[in-house]
Amino acid sequence: MQQNQFEKMKNGKGFIAALDQSGGSTPKALAAYGVLKDAYRDEEEMFNLVHEMRTRIITSPAFDSSKILGAILFEETMDRKIEGKYTGDFLAEVKGIVPFLKVDKGLAEENNGVQMMKPIADLDETLKRAKERHIFGTKMRSVIKKANTAGIKDVVDQQFEVGKQIINAGLIPIIEPEVDINSTEKEKCEQLLKVEILNHLNNLSENEFVMLKLTIPTQANTYKELIDHPKVVRVVALSGGYSREEANEKLKVNEGLIASFSRALSQDLNVKQTDEEFNAALSKAVESIYEASI
C-alpha cells in the first residue's frame, strides 16, 4: 500500500468513479451507452466493447484527479491495458487516480432479507495479481432488503471476514453492504447496519483499516459516527438506482460522505457522441458529483 494514495483517499477532495460492471451487469451498461446486444456475438466481443467504453471515459480530459480520487475496476479491466499500460498503472501514473478492484463474484439467493456474497474461491490469487497490477484496494457488495437483525449481522460478518483477508494481502477493502433503496424498511435497516459495522470497527487492530460504501441514508448524517471512526479511511456512497440529480441532492446533506457512483456518472454518455459531446457530458457529470461530495 502506498502511503501517498492512503493519504489521498483519507483527506483528498473528490469522489470515486465506479467502473466495475461485471459479466452480469455489462450488457445493461453497454445498452445504456447505446451498444445493444446485436453489436456483439459472444462474451469476448462484449468485454472488448466495454473496455473501449471504459477507456474512453478514463482517457477523457474530464476524468481528472482534481475531482476524482479513485476508480473501481472490474477484473477484466485490471488485466487489460490503456495506451500500453495496465489500467491500474495508467490511472495511478498518468491520471493520478487511485485504482481499486471489484473482487466479489456476485450475490447469493435472498435469505433472512439479505443477499450475501457468493463464495470467492480464488480470492488469494486475485489479490496477488492485484498487488502485481499496483491496485490500492478492493470492493465487494452485499445487499440488504429487510430489517432482519440476523441477516444484517451475517452480511456484515461476511464482509469483515473477507475484508481481513484483503487487509492481510496488503490492500484496503471497501466494505459494501448496500441497503436497497426500495426497501420499505430502509431506515430501520440502516440503523441495524450501523450497529453491526461499529461492532466490527471497534475490534480492528492498530494497523487494520477499511473503507465503507453505503447507500445514502434516509436520515441525513446517520453514518457520521462511521465517517469519523479512526479505523475508517473514507465512507463513500453508491447511487443505488437514484438519478444523478437525486443522488447528488441526498449526498449534499450528509457531512463527510462522498460519492462512488456508477450509473449516475455515465447516464448521459453515448457511443454515438462525438468526442467533444462525450467529454462535455462527462465533464458536466463529474463537476456535479464533485460539488455534491465536498
Side-chain angles (χ1 to χ4, degrees):
M1 177 179 59
Q2 293 190 33
Q3 191 61 31
N4 65 327
Q5 291 184 329
F6 184 93
E7 292 299 327
K8 184 181 181 77
M9 289 314 310
K10 180 125 186 100
N11 301 311
K13 286 186 177 181
F15 67 94
I16 296 178
L19 305 175
D20 58 331
Q21 298 93 347
S22 58
S25 55
T26 295
K28 268 189 199 174
L30 281 172
Y33 183 53
V35 179
L36 304 181
K37 284 188 176 180
D38 58 7
Y40 49 91
R41 291 170 296 182
D42 53 30
E43 195 173 75
E44 183 182 356
E45 289 187 2
M46 178 185 76
F47 282 131
N48 287 340
L49 287 167
V50 82
H51 188 64
E52 287 175 16
M53 179 187 79
R54 288 169 178 153
T55 297
R56 194 179 187 194
I57 291 171
I58 290 169
T59 56
S60 168
F63 202 82
D64 176 71
S65 63
S66 66
K67 293 183 173 63
I68 299 172
L69 297 173
I72 306 170
L73 307 175
F74 176 47
E75 201 172 332
E76 271 269 339
T77 311
M78 175 185 76
D79 289 331
R80 291 180 182 242
K81 293 183 176 181
I82 294 176
E83 296 182 3
K85 293 178 181 285
Y86 282 110
T87 307
D89 289 330
F90 184 87
L91 282 166
E93 295 171 10
V94 178
K95 288 287 187 165
I97 292 170
V98 180
F100 292 82
L101 175 69
K102 167 189 157 71
V103 294
D104 69 80
K105 301 297 183 185
L107 299 169
E109 293 296 317
E110 183 179 338
N111 185 43
N112 282 344
V114 303
Q115 286 183 276
M116 295 177 66
M117 295 183 288
K118 291 178 179 176
I120 313 173
D122 57 349
L123 181 58
D124 283 333
E125 179 55 40
T126 302
L127 296 175
K128 181 183 174 185
R129 208 164 75 257
K131 287 283 285 182
E132 291 168 354
R133 299 276 187 269
H134 305 125
I135 299 297
F136 171 79
T138 64
K139 190 213 82 159
M140 49 197 176
R141 173 176 172 260
S142 316
V143 174
I144 297 166
K145 297 185 175 182
K146 294 175 184 172
N148 182 303
T149 304
I152 292 172
K153 182 179 187 304
D154 287 343
V155 159
V156 179
D157 286 351
Q158 183 192 40
Q159 282 275 347
F160 274 87
E161 180 184 357
V162 179
K164 289 205 172 196
Q165 191 177 345
I166 290 161
I167 291 168
N168 290 336
L171 301 168
I172 297 288
I174 299 178
I175 307 286
E176 185 186 8
E178 173 183 346
V179 175
D180 189 335
I181 65 168
N182 298 309
S183 171
T184 56
E185 303 175 304
K186 181 174 178 286
E187 188 171 359
K188 191 175 178 185
C189 289
E190 289 159 354
Q191 294 296 337
L192 293 170
L193 176 61
K194 183 170 79 167
V195 169
E196 291 299 331
I197 291 174
L198 278 170
N199 286 340
H200 280 276
L201 291 177
N202 291 335
N203 286 313
L204 292 178
S205 66
E206 183 181 355
N207 296 314
E208 292 180 325
F209 297 93
V210 301
M211 293 176 61
L212 302 170
K213 182 167 179 174
L214 305 172
T215 306
I216 304 171
T218 302
Q219 183 66 41
N221 295 314
T222 291
Y223 295 133
K224 190 69 171 64
E225 198 174 351
L226 304 180
I227 291 166
D228 293 338
H229 198 284
K231 294 281 114 187
V232 176
V233 180
R234 207 71 182 255
V235 182
V236 303
L238 54 105
S239 52
Y242 294 126
S243 69
R244 182 169 66 239
E245 292 73 19
E246 192 173 4
N248 283 343
E249 287 308 307
K250 290 178 180 295
L251 192 62
K252 285 175 184 176
V253 297
N254 284 273
E255 185 186 346
L257 190 63
I258 67 170
S260 177
F261 293 170
S262 174
R263 280 167 293 184
L265 174 66
S266 59
Q267 67 183 37
D268 296 333
L269 305 180
N270 192 279
V271 67
K272 293 180 180 176
Q273 288 169 328
T274 65
D275 285 346
E276 186 178 0
E277 291 167 338
F278 180 92
N279 292 335
L282 183 58
S283 180
K284 181 181 176 184
V286 167
E287 185 64 39
S288 71
I289 296 168
Y290 173 79
E291 289 296 330
S293 296
I294 59 172

